[in-house]
Amino acid sequence: MTSSTVDTMPVARAAWRTHPLVKRSAPVVTIVAVLIVVWYIGAVLMNLSLVRGGFEREEAPYTTMELLEGTMSAERPLLPAPHQVVGAFIDGVFGYAPTAPRSLVYHSMVTLSATLLGFALGALLGIVLALAIVHSRVLERSLMPWIICSQMVPILALAPIFIVVLGAIGLQGLLPKSIISAYLSFFPITIGMVKGFTSPDPMQMDLMRTWSATSRQVLSKLRWPSAVPYLFASLKVAITISLIGAIVAELPTGAEAGIGARLLAGSYYGQTIQIWSALVAAAVLASGLIAIVSYAERKVAQRMGARS
Amino acid sequence: MTLLVEPVRMNSTADAEPHIYQSTVTRPVAVDVSKVSLTFDTADGKVEALSNVDLQISGGEFVSFIGPSGCGKTTLLRVIADLQQPSSGSVTVNGMSAEQARLGRNYGYVFQAPALFPWRSIEANLKLPLELMGFSPTEQKQRAARYLDLVNLTGFERKFPWQLSGGMQQRVSIARALSFDPELLLMDEPFGALDEIVRDHLNEQLLQLWAKTRKTVLFVTHSIPEAVFLSTKIVVMSPRPGRITDIIDCNFRRDRTLEIRETPEFMAIAQRVRTGLRAGHSYDE
């Protein structure tokens, strides 16, 4: 080892540490690693008695290693180990044709279509209600309590009623699920947009008045653009709630397809790994939806002259 | 960033002349305020924002309203603009009621803050009132260009408000108020938030603008030098109840420059304004 290599070694280490990629991802990687370790420990502890019981029933001798291995590869563990969940998720996504009933892609698409329709309906309803509330004090006083009440009733109690009532008038499949999803997602949009539509500065409102603008002009030229940041904030909340609404709507109805159906089937048959992989699918879906809304938000903000 | 002036009549004779400018044109009454009172109901009881205010302003004048806070100067401007209704009395603007005048877009209003719409470019901000009033797109573009030029902001069309300094933003808002060519310009402490250097500069520009466009200007201010420098008439107001205590004529030449602030005539008028303010001010706080 020459003196020069000795000299450069600390420098090289410092360069590795300050690399932008490392700096950016190191905190995230660390936290994920810690979580995975905690998860493994949890899996071992929770599944221990189950596995031990299995060995003892068969009266087979077992070593500690076998016991540990068993806790991470049980078929129906209380808490599946991370690699089991990831394995089942990857298998569910890539292991089957996208239209196969065992494919997670298939179930995700079923839930996604209900989510998107419900989100669109909810956004529309939310904005219309906000407009009505902003333009009429009477409507504000008569509508607002009902809007708030609507969110106090647990959706799990309401969903079967919705399905039965809508089924009685011949609506089945996608639409009832979307309606439940819309029922949940309109709320943050109404609240956000009421705030947004009333956010213009009093001076800006006075200006519109000095130009004797009509209330429709005030809406299109001032209230609506002022509300855009609020719109995106509430859309982000609403789209995840739409997804939850769609999944919840699949639970009490014995739906045959969808992420909710996978959760339900998994819990019927004690297929915990299946439940967890369906949950991962829901999380992936939710992040994707939020990413799309955030992207739209950035694009719109750029067009509206936001500081970059 | 200099002048937007008609040729300045600065020659050797100008110095020989007194600085007093006699208005020869008598124009019809632009604003007629008659026995206007306005009482606000607040949590602490009734506040008389305006009490029995009488005021006539002829067309083409530059009238400043000066007084301590709470004297009702902004309220009076808002009443004239039909942004607030008086409890009693009447206001006529260009021979119409205040409401008719507002609906007929008879005035442009400039607030303390520029109140530009942050999502609109400077040009789009200027076009906003024109869009509302149904000007054709070509006319909108022409007018936006013309009035941006008038306030020396040509080249900033595509910028957004946050990219401009406070003074520039306020100039945009003045251009916006003028863009639909109203007869009357109502300005509520438009330069209050700006530093003194920018303020002096904008005062000169405003004066040139006024000389050029011959608008009637009603201008609320806190500053005595600003009022004396800009006005043909200074209305001194005092609070509790809000009322007019003095009206001072101030006829310097229209093409006055900042240098007149050093002249004895200017000092004399400033002194009278100061005396009026002091007399009307109650020190019971």
Side-chain angles (χ1 to χ4, degrees):
Chain A
M1 196 180 277
T2 64
S3 66
S4 69
T5 50
V6 173
D7 284 342
T8 53
M9 271 208 20
V11 177
R13 192 184 294 154
W16 168 78
R17 276 190 185 166
T18 54
H19 191 279
L21 203 66
V22 174
K23 272 185 126 171
R24 198 154 7 113
S25 51
V28 180
V29 170
T30 312
I31 288 189
V32 168
V34 168
L35 282 179
I36 288 176
V37 168
V38 170
W39 191 349
Y40 268 113
I41 294 170
V44 169
L45 292 178
M46 288 192 71
N47 302 331
L48 201 58
S49 59
L50 191 81
V51 176
R52 191 187 287 136
F55 278 122
E56 280 166 3
R57 252 196 320 279
E58 288 171 24
E59 292 176 352
Y62 59 88
T63 61
T64 315
M65 267 321 280
E66 280 171 339
L67 196 62
L68 274 182
E69 244 175 61
T71 59
M72 291 184 213
S73 57
E75 203 179 317
R76 294 176 185 183
L78 279 177
L79 178 64
H83 69 264
Q84 288 179 293
V85 174
V86 171
F89 175 73
I90 289 173
D91 184 49
V93 171
F94 301 106
Y96 306 93
T99 51
R102 300 197 63 156
S103 164
L104 267 178
V105 177
Y106 166 68
H107 292 287
S108 297
M109 285 305 130
V110 169
T111 302
L112 181 65
S113 50
T115 302
L116 291 179
L117 184 58
F119 175 67
L121 291 174
L124 200 67
L125 176 67
I127 291 169
V128 168
L129 280 175
L131 278 177
I133 286 167
V134 167
H135 281 94
S136 153
R137 277 211 74 82
V138 179
L139 280 180
E140 181 185 358
R141 259 181 269 159
S142 54
L143 280 179
M144 217 47 186
W146 289 107
I147 289 173
I148 291 167
C149 273
S150 74
Q151 303 301 307
M152 291 188 200
V153 186
I155 192 66
L156 266 177
L158 275 181
I161 302 174
F162 268 67
I163 304 282
V164 168
V165 170
L166 291 171
I169 58 170
L171 290 176
Q172 279 172 334
L174 183 66
L175 201 58
K177 287 201 284 179
S178 306
I179 288 173
I180 290 168
S181 161
Y183 181 90
L184 286 183
S185 63
F186 86 92
F187 183 69
I189 294 181
T190 300
I191 300 296
M193 288 308 272
V194 166
K195 182 87 185 144
F197 284 140
T198 51
S199 69
D201 193 279
M203 237 180 245
Q204 292 173 327
M205 291 298 284
D206 276 344
L207 267 175
M208 295 302 271
R209 195 170 148 82
T210 68
W211 299 324
S212 59
T214 62
S215 59
R216 188 180 290 181
Q217 285 174 327
V218 173
L219 174 65
S220 66
K221 307 278 183 192
L222 178 56
R223 286 192 193 276
W224 184 257
S226 307
V228 164
Y230 296 85
L231 175 67
F232 279 105
S234 39
L235 284 183
K236 275 191 237 174
V237 178
I239 199 148
T240 44
I241 295 187
S242 291
L243 181 64
I244 292 170
I247 292 174
V248 165
E250 286 162 354
L251 288 179
T253 58
E256 283 154 18
I259 291 176
R262 286 301 274 178
L263 290 174
L264 201 64
S267 74
Y268 274 158
Y269 303 113
Q271 299 283 356
T272 40
I273 300 177
Q274 179 184 327
I275 296 179
W276 280 88
S277 62
L279 285 179
V280 171
V284 169
L285 218 51
S287 341
L289 290 171
I290 288 199
I292 291 168
V293 176
S294 301
Y295 178 76
E297 181 180 27
R298 269 203 309 282
K299 285 287 151 199
V300 170
Q302 265 171 27
R303 285 203 52 185
M304 290 178 70
R307 299 163 203 234
S308 41
Chain B
M1 202 176 58
T2 43
L3 311 177
L4 26 94
V5 221
E6 58 183 23
V8 184
R9 284 174 291 157
M10 276 296 248
N11 49 37
S12 54
T13 55
D15 287 333
E17 279 172 19
H19 290 280
I20 304 300
Y21 166 81
Q22 290 302 329
S23 171
T24 46
V25 262
T26 45
R27 291 166 72 175
V29 173
V31 177
D32 188 351
V33 177
S34 156
K35 296 196 174 50
V36 162
S37 297
L38 200 160
T39 313
F40 288 117
D41 281 317
T42 68
D44 308 329
K46 288 187 187 301
V47 174
E48 258 195 303
L50 293 172
S51 167
N52 217 13
V53 171
D54 270 308
L55 182 68
Q56 278 76 43
I57 296 167
S58 318
E61 279 198 277
F62 194 120
V63 182
S64 287
F65 297 82
I66 190 165
S69 9
C71 72
K73 49 196 195 305
T74 294
T75 310
L76 181 56
L77 206 65
R78 291 177 65 85
V79 167
I80 292 169
D82 189 40
L83 292 175
Q84 219 141 35
Q85 269 62 50
S87 312
S88 64
S90 70
V91 176
T92 320
V93 177
N94 293 336
M96 289 171 270
S97 76
E99 188 185 7
Q100 285 170 330
R102 177 176 64 80
L103 294 175
R105 286 124 178 185
N106 274 263
Y107 65 83
Y109 203 109
V110 180
F111 289 89
Q112 291 100 322
L116 300 177
F117 289 26
W119 55 86
R120 285 176 163 253
S121 68
I122 297 306
E123 186 185 33
N125 261 291
L126 264 179
K127 282 179 178 173
L128 177 62
L130 306 173
E131 281 170 24
L132 299 177
M133 295 173 193
F135 285 84
S136 73
T138 31
E139 175 91 28
Q140 286 177 25
K141 203 160 177 67
Q142 282 168 4
R143 279 177 179 255
R146 190 188 322 151
Y147 285 96
L148 268 185
D149 181 48
L150 198 65
V151 295
N152 282 324
L153 283 172
T154 304
F156 288 88
E157 288 85 353
R158 284 167 183 280
K159 296 271 190 253
F160 280 93
W162 63 270
Q163 293 168 299
L164 269 62
S165 70
M168 288 160 112
Q169 289 187 26
Q170 198 54 287
R171 272 148 62 201
V172 175
S173 91
I174 292 171
R176 181 179 58 181
L178 290 169
S179 65
F180 53 97
D181 211 22
E183 307 250 315
L184 202 62
L185 192 57
L186 307 179
M187 307 178 88
D188 184 5
E189 290 184 48
F191 309 138
L194 305 175
D195 68 64
E196 193 148 348
I197 298 163
V198 176
R199 193 177 178 136
D200 277 351
H201 191 73
L202 289 185
N203 278 342
E204 278 190 303
Q205 290 197 329
L206 179 61
L207 207 58
Q208 288 152 6
L209 210 67
W210 171 67
K212 201 173 174 182
T213 58
R214 305 271 155 162
K215 304 275 179 210
T216 312
V217 183
L218 276 65
F219 187 93
V220 169
T221 180
H222 263 123
S223 153
I224 296 174
E226 188 172 74
V228 182
F229 176 65
L230 291 171
S231 316
T232 58
K233 204 180 234 181
I234 301 168
V235 176
V236 182
M237 298 183 72
S238 112
R240 281 177 296 272
R243 64 193 187 278
I244 295 177
T245 51
D246 197 4
I247 298 178
I248 302 163
D249 282 319
C250 180
N251 282 325
F252 296 102
R253 303 167 47 96
R254 272 192 182 235
D255 55 353
R256 61 192 80 168
T257 56
L258 281 171
E259 282 70 52
I260 66 157
R261 291 194 294 195
E262 314 301 327
T263 63
E265 292 91 338
F266 187 96
M267 305 277 195
I269 293 174
Q271 188 53 43
R272 190 174 154 194
V273 174
R274 193 168 290 118
T275 313
L277 284 175
R278 212 169 279 159
H281 200 284
S282 48
Y283 291 96
D284 50 5
E285 297 167 78

